[in-house]
Amino acid sequence: MTPPDAPHNRWSDLDRPPLNRTALRRGLLRPDALWTSLEVVESTGSTNTDLAGQARGGAAREGAVLVAEEQTAGRGRLERTWTAPPRSGLFFSVYLEPGDIPVERWGWVPLLAGVAAATGLAKSAGVDMSLKWPNDLLVAVAGDERKTGGILGEFAGDGIVVGLGINVSLRADELPAPTAGSLALAGAVSTDRETLLRAVLRSLEDWYGRWKAAGGDTAASGLRAAYAAGCATLDRTVRAELPGGASLVGEAVAIDGDGRLVLSTEDGLQRPVSAGDIVHLRGAAGGLT
């Protein structure tokens, strides 16, 4: 065990080895592949900030992947920040240019990334994954739903940057909140980050290819059905905490064609929610997840 005052280095935690950039490039950067470049940096504030800056400056091509061993100012929705121990998770962003797909359909790209990540992680880590609308990845830890990942999309340059943060090997005493989890705590059969990253990126390439081939049509590509099938928010009573401080309670009944969550409220109306925090309510007592 490394003494607390030992100098930090890439091998200070043998349970969390550094990523092998050469092996990742060899496995992912092919002439016919979506991924065109892959960089691994030791530490950065936010991979989304960095890659979005490159895209705005014209330095990023579609298929660029930026991975950090550590993020010191990772960004989530609503400008929230979070950090995690070095090499304890997957912290990466990708740059995509949907091109001829109508811009109004680009809002589905972060949801597409959620489907792809859940699919890839379920196969490679052997853990049941689900999605909390709009951008959280959930696992079960000791029977409780826990957030193990989040997704953030932002327009940049001629495309969109999508960032993913996934807790892989976080231990119970390292979790940032009681509602957080990790693949390791969920009983993953593998926490090898290279295996997991390759699986997620290949799944993302597959789903993005289907969506683009269908002209961004989420029904024809199967994306809308796949998201609904994996969404833990549907068929539950939820509270939507809306921008501006208002809230709305109702049963989540559908994901519409624009990627909005549709709530059926007590007044008999169906209300689409396009932005906001969603709280899963459990029973009359209102336990939260």
Side-chain angles (χ1 to χ4, degrees), residues 47 144 243:
T47 57
D144 292 331

Side-chain angles (χ1 to χ4, degrees), residues 146-157:
R146 302 284 190 89
K147 176 180 176 177
T148 195
I151 299 163
L152 177 67
E154 59 184 293
F155 294 111

Side-chain angles (χ1 to χ4, degrees), residues 57-198:
R61 295 173 54 201
E62 179 172 50
V65 182
L66 178 62
V67 188
E69 296 282 30
E70 177 186 27
Q71 281 195 136
T72 58
R75 292 189 293 121
R77 291 177 61 249
L78 307 178
E79 295 304 316
R80 291 171 179 148
T81 60
W82 55 271
T83 60
R87 304 180 305 283
S88 65
L90 293 174
F91 320 116
F92 66 99
S93 297
V94 302
Y95 179 60
L96 303 172
E97 291 182 344
D100 294 334
I101 306 298
V103 174
E104 58 268 22
R105 297 183 177 180
W106 291 19
W108 266 95
V109 174
L111 279 70
L112 181 156
V115 170
T119 303
L121 292 172
K123 291 179 179 178
S124 57
V127 170
D128 288 336
M129 307 288 301
S130 59
L131 301 163
K132 179 182 175 185
W133 187 91
N135 68 340
D136 289 349
L137 296 164
L138 304 180
V139 294
V141 177
D144 292 331
E145 272 184 352
R146 302 284 190 89
K147 176 180 176 177
T148 195
I151 299 163
L152 177 67
E154 59 184 293
F155 294 111
D158 295 324
I160 183 170
V161 172
V162 182
L164 294 91
I166 301 163
N167 295 336
V168 174
S169 64
L170 260 71
R171 303 152 189 144
D173 62 350
E174 295 174 322
L175 296 175
T179 54
S182 68
L183 297 179
L185 292 174
V189 297
S190 173
T191 55
D192 181 273
R193 292 183 305 136
E194 288 178 27
T195 299
L196 302 177
L197 181 58
R198 284 196 300 268

Side-chain angles (χ1 to χ4, degrees), residues 16 71 75 88 127 203 235 237 242 250 254 285:
R16 294 169 174 167
Q71 281 195 136
R75 292 189 293 121
S88 65
V127 170
S203 181
D235 301 321
T237 300
L242 306 174

